[in-house]
Amino acid sequence: MATILADNRNSFAILPDSPDLARALDEANVPTLLAAYVHMTHDAAFLDRFADHIRPAFSQPPTDIPEELADDLRARMRHLLTTGEGYQARPASDALLQRIMTVTVGEPVEDEFLELVEDQCGFRPYIDRSQMVGRKAPKADFKILVIGAGMTGMAAATKLREAGYNFVVIEKNADVGGTWYENRYPGVGVDTPSHFYSFSWEIWPDWQHYHPHGADMQKYMLATADKYGLRRDIRFNTKVEKLVWSDVDKVWTVTVQKADGTREDIVVNAVINGHGPVNRYQFPDIPGLDDFAGTLVHTANYPADLDLKGKRVAVIGTGASSAQLVGAIAPEVGQLTIYQRSKHWVLFNPELTHEVSEGMRWALANIPNYKEWFRFRVYWAAADGLYSNVVKDPAWEGNMTAVSQGNAMTREYALGYMQQRFADRPDLIEKLTPDFPIFSKRIILDNGWFDALARPNVHLEDQGIARILPNGIEAKDGSVFECDVIICATGFNVAKMIGNLTIKGIGGRDLGEEWGEDDPRSYLGMCVPGYPNYFHTVGPNSAPNHAAGQNMISECQVHWIIEALDRINEADANAFEVTQDAFDAWNRKVEERMPQMIWTHPGANSYYNNSKGRVFLSWPWRLVDFFHATRAPEDGSYRLLH
C-alpha cells in the first residue's frame, strides 16, 4: 500500500523506482522539474545554482543549464519521489513560490501575479464557494439559465453547481464543446498552447500535442463534461431565441426552440449568455456566390464526407482558419487557388507540430506539481509575457510598421522567417509582406501554411474577387479559376455580439437596437444598465488579443458573475444591475487607454475594429489586470432591485 504524503497544496504517493520514472525525468522540461522539486522540498538555495542559466522565454538560447546540474536535479527528484525523504509537509510560502517563479522564467515575477498563479495554475483556488464558512446558501427557487455549453458555459455550469445555484444550460448542438464541437475542417487547431488552454480546476496531463488539434480540444471538453457530470444540467438540441425582462416580476422569460421545432417559455431569475463571439459564421458578400454550381462550404460547417482528392479547390480568405486548412489539404487536391483580401503576419513556433513525448506525459500525470508549474511557464511565455508587443512606445522613432523597439524586433524575426522560406519566390514575399505592425491583427502560426504556398499546385491570388461564376471565380484582373469546390474561410460575425437573439430589458429596451450591427459596449465585458441579471460573457473589450488566455477570461467572468449573484442572495434582493455611471466611467477608461495600444495604429484594421474603426473587442491591459478587476463587483458600481 502506498504511503501518502499530503498538505493542502502538495500531495503524492511515493512512486516505485521504475523505467517510466527514469524516462520521465530524462524528458521533462528542466526548469519545470526544478520548480516542482523546490516546491516540495522548500530548498530555495538549490534555485540559486540555476538562476544564472535561465533567461526569459524568447532569449536565444533561453537556457544553458549545464548537464551535470540537470543530472543532479534529476537524481534529487528521483530520490524524493521514491523515498519521500526531503518532502516538506507544510505549505510553501508565498515568498518561496515567487522565488520559484522568478528563477524558472528567468525574470522578475512581481507580487501582483501571486494570486493569479495560485488560482490559475491549480495550486489553490481563489474561492471555492462550497467551502466558504458563513456563506448564505442560495434560494432553491432562484433559477439561472446559461446559454451555450462551450468553454464559458461549461465553466459557468461547474461553478454554479459548486456554489449551490439552481441552473439549466441551453445548448443548440447535440453535445458540449461549442466552437470545438462545430469546427471540424482539416487541419483545425488551437493557437493557444494546450497546457494553458484548459480549466484551472481540470489541468489535463493527457495532451498529445503542445498545441491541440481541434479533435484534441473537443476530446478534453467531452472528458471534462464526463468527469463533472455536466450533461445532467444541459438541454441539448435547443436554441435560445428571445429574452424578455419583466419589470413587475423581476424575472426573465426565455423563449427556446426545441429539436422538434416547437417553442417553450422558461422563466428564470438570471441569464448568463455564454454563446461566444466565434459562434456565428459568415459567408462573404460576393456577387454570384449563390449561383455557384459546385460545392460551397464554410470552414465552420465543414462536411465530414467532403472528398477533395484531385479536385480543383478555391479557398476564400487567408486568416488563421485558412492557413490551417490549406496546410492540410494542399497535398491532396489537384489545383488550389487561395484568394487573399488582407495580409497577415506569420510566426513560426516549432512546438506547434511537436507531439508531447511519453515521458513528458508521464511527468505531467505523476510528478506532483509538475503540470501546475508547466502551466505557469506556458502562461508566462504565451500570455502576459507578450503584452509589451501591443503597447505603443511614445518615444518610438522607428518606421511606421512598428510601435516599439521590441515590436520592431518581432517584426524582423517574422520577416526573416518569411524571406528564408521563400528565398526563391520573391513574388510570394511581395504578396505576403504586411504593411502594418505585427500583433495589430491576429497572428498566424505556421503549421504547413508556407509549405503549401510553395507547392506547384497552389496559387495565391491577391487581386481580389470580382464575382463568383457558376463554374468558378473571376478575379478583378479578369482571370478565371474554374473549380469544383469553394471553401469560405471567412470567419465569424464577431461584432454583432448578441447574434440573432432578441433581448428586451427594463421598459422594453432593446439591446440589439442599442448595440446595432457592430457597436457593442458593456461594463467589464459583462453588464449593461437597463438589463438586470443579464450577464454577457466574452463581451465588448474583454478579449485578450495580445496573446493566449480566453480560458482565463471566461473563468474570471464566471467568478465575478457568481459574486454578483451572491450579492443578490445576501441582500434578499431580486436582481443586480450595473449603474449608468459605472458603465460610462468604464467605457471612458477603455477609450482613454485604447490610443496607447497597437490596435489603433493607422495600419491596423481587423475584426477587432467595428465599421467606424473603434476597437470594440480587445482588452487593453494584461490578463493579470483582468484577474484583479474581476475578484468582486466594486461597491457603488451596481444597484440591487427588490
Side-chain angles (χ1 to χ4, degrees):
M1 183 173 179
T3 301
I4 302 295
L5 308 173
D7 64 26
N8 68 337
R9 279 181 269 179
N10 293 348
S11 64
F12 69 96
I14 290 176
L15 300 173
D17 195 350
S18 66
D20 285 337
L21 173 59
R23 181 170 57 184
L25 293 175
D26 283 341
E27 296 178 8
N29 174 267
V30 173
T32 307
L33 198 64
L34 174 66
Y37 175 78
V38 175
H39 192 159
M40 287 187 282
T41 63
H42 299 187
D43 187 358
F46 191 52
L47 285 169
D48 297 337
R49 296 174 59 187
F50 290 81
D52 292 338
H53 300 289
I54 302 174
R55 288 172 289 279
F58 300 103
S59 303
Q60 293 297 327
T63 64
D64 61 1
I65 299 170
E67 193 57 32
E68 60 270 21
L69 185 56
D71 286 341
D72 185 20
L73 169 62
R74 295 183 185 107
R76 288 170 180 247
M77 179 63 93
R78 189 171 192 162
H79 182 75
L80 170 66
L81 295 176
T82 57
T83 69
E85 293 177 12
Y87 174 77
Q88 297 296 318
R90 68 185 187 279
S93 68
D94 284 348
L96 177 60
L97 293 176
Q98 189 171 8
R99 177 67 177 154
I100 293 171
M101 294 177 210
T102 291
V103 170
T104 58
V105 297
E107 58 185 317
V109 177
E110 306 299 339
D111 293 351
E112 63 182 330
F113 290 95
L114 283 170
E115 286 183 343
L116 179 151
V117 172
E118 290 216 330
D119 175 69
Q120 283 296 304
C121 295
F123 293 124
R124 181 173 57 188
Y126 182 83
I127 284 182
D128 179 348
R129 290 172 182 81
S130 67
Q131 304 298 316
M132 288 177 65
V133 177
R135 176 175 174 266
K136 185 178 179 181
K139 297 176 182 178
D141 61 352
F142 189 94
K143 189 169 184 178
I144 301 152
L145 184 142
V146 179
I147 305 174
M151 177 163 277
T152 307
M154 290 174 67
T158 304
K159 291 301 175 180
L160 285 168
R161 184 185 295 166
E162 179 181 277
Y165 279 99
N166 180 5
F167 70 95
V168 64
V169 181
I170 305 297
E171 169 55 51
K172 65 179 171 61
N173 293 322
D175 210 335
V176 302
T179 191
W180 304 113
Y181 175 90
E182 295 172 358
N183 284 265
R184 304 181 185 189
Y185 58 85
V188 61
V190 184
D191 290 354
T192 301
S194 309
H195 298 87
F196 184 46
Y197 194 53
S198 58
F199 298 119
S200 62
W201 54 84
E202 188 57 30
I203 303 175
W204 220 32
D206 297 330
W207 296 108
Q208 299 296 307
H209 303 89
Y210 283 102
H211 283 255
H213 298 175
D216 298 335
M217 196 65 223
Q218 180 63 358
K219 182 179 178 181
Y220 171 80
M221 304 294 263
L222 294 172
T224 301
D226 290 341
K227 180 174 180 177
Y228 291 86
L230 298 182
R231 291 183 184 85
R232 71 173 183 259
D233 295 309
I234 303 174
R235 290 180 55 176
F236 292 107
N237 299 308
T238 306
K239 186 176 182 180
V240 176
E241 295 183 332
K242 187 176 184 179
L243 317 174
V244 178
W245 172 257
S246 169
D247 295 340
V248 175
D249 298 322
K250 306 293 190 296
V251 294
W252 287 96
T253 297
V254 182
T255 302
V256 302
Q257 183 182 61
K258 297 185 287 187
D260 62 5
T262 62
R263 288 172 172 78
E264 175 187 353
D265 286 343
I266 305 173
V267 178
V268 296
N269 300 89
V271 176
I272 301 175
N273 189 344
H275 70 180
V278 288
N279 187 259
R280 299 163 295 280
Y281 63 87
Q282 59 184 5
F283 282 96
D285 184 14
I286 300 174
L289 188 66
D290 294 337
D291 299 326
F292 180 61
T295 302
L296 175 68
V297 302
H298 194 284
T299 50
N301 190 28
Y302 197 91
D305 60 351
L306 181 59
D307 183 6
L308 300 179
K309 290 183 177 64
K311 300 285 183 65
R312 299 168 301 172
V313 180
V315 173
I316 300 176
T318 51
S321 297
S322 174
Q324 293 172 351
L325 171 77
V326 166
I329 68 173
E332 68 172 354
V333 303
Q335 293 293 320
L336 175 61
T337 296
I338 306 149
Y339 290 86
Q340 174 178 273
R341 182 176 63 87
S342 57
K343 301 176 182 180
H344 297 271
W345 282 108
V346 177
L347 286 177
F348 176 64
N349 178 356
E351 278 194 352
L352 195 62
T353 57
H354 287 182
E355 292 187 5
V356 184
S357 71
E358 286 188 28
M360 182 67 170
R361 291 203 304 273
W362 197 96
L364 288 159
N366 295 280
I367 296 178
N369 298 323
Y370 185 86
K371 69 179 185 296
E372 290 81 5
W373 280 113
F374 192 72
R375 180 179 171 96
F376 160 70
R377 188 171 179 81
V378 174
Y379 154 73
W380 195 258
D384 282 343
L386 298 173
Y387 181 71
S388 62
N389 273 292
V390 299
V391 181
K392 297 175 183 175
D393 178 0
W396 171 247
E397 296 180 351
N399 60 49
M400 279 295 289
T401 56
V403 296
S404 67
Q405 181 64 38
N407 184 247
M409 291 173 65
T410 306
R411 178 186 185 278
E412 289 304 311
Y413 169 78
L415 190 59
Y417 173 66
M418 183 192 303
Q419 292 170 340
Q420 177 263 321
R421 291 301 310 276
F422 298 125
D424 59 345
R425 292 292 304 274
D427 59 315
L428 283 177
I429 293 175
E430 182 179 356
K431 288 180 178 181
L432 291 167
T433 302
D435 59 358
F436 51 83
I438 191 168
F439 281 104
S440 62
K441 299 182 184 180
R442 183 177 175 181
I443 295 291
I444 289 176
L445 296 181
D446 185 15
N447 185 17
W449 169 237
F450 278 3
D451 284 340
L453 291 177
R455 292 179 61 88
N457 66 327
V458 175
H459 173 65
L460 179 65
E461 176 60 69
D462 67 345
Q463 296 302 305
I465 297 174
R467 58 178 175 156
I468 308 293
L469 305 172
N471 64 334
I473 299 179
E474 180 182 338
K476 290 184 177 179
D477 64 0
S479 62
V480 174
F481 175 58
E482 294 186 358
C483 55
D484 309 299
V485 181
I486 295 177
I487 304 174
C488 297
T490 46
F492 302 85
N493 188 348
V494 175
K496 192 175 182 182
M497 284 197 162
I498 64 169
N500 295 322
L501 285 176
T502 297
I503 303 177
K504 300 279 191 177
I506 291 175
R509 292 177 58 168
D510 189 312
L511 189 58
E513 292 179 359
E514 292 178 20
W515 280 3
E517 289 297 309
D518 65 356
D519 199 29
R521 299 173 190 265
S522 69
Y523 176 78
L524 278 177
M526 290 182 280
C527 295
V528 181
Y531 300 86
N533 282 5
Y534 172 73
F535 303 99
H536 189 109
T537 64
V538 198
N541 295 115
S542 69
N545 291 139
H546 68 281
Q550 186 54 61
N551 52 301
M552 187 182 137
I553 295 292
S554 293
E555 285 191 24
C556 287
Q557 289 187 326
V558 166
H559 169 83
W560 188 93
I561 290 165
I562 297 178
E563 284 289 317
L565 295 173
D566 276 1
R567 301 290 171 92
I568 299 169
N569 187 53
E570 290 162 4
D572 285 322
N574 291 312
F576 174 104
E577 181 190 11
V578 69
T579 67
Q580 188 69 45
D581 286 347
F583 174 89
D584 291 340
W586 172 252
N587 281 280
R588 281 196 301 271
K589 183 178 178 181
V590 170
E591 294 297 320
E592 289 167 1
R593 175 65 177 173
M594 209 56 79
Q596 302 169 48
M597 308 306 296
I598 197 170
W599 308 300
T600 55
H601 185 278
N605 183 26
S606 71
Y607 66 88
Y608 306 164
N609 310 76
N610 69 4
S611 58
K612 295 181 179 179
R614 184 175 76 84
V615 183
F616 72 90
L617 188 66
S618 306
W619 168 257
W621 295 279
R622 303 166 301 170
L623 287 180
V624 69
D625 299 314
F626 198 91
F627 179 86
H628 288 297
T630 50
R631 294 307 85 200
E634 184 178 343
D635 290 342
S637 67
Y638 63 93
R639 67 180 182 127
L640 296 176
L641 281 59
H642 290 83

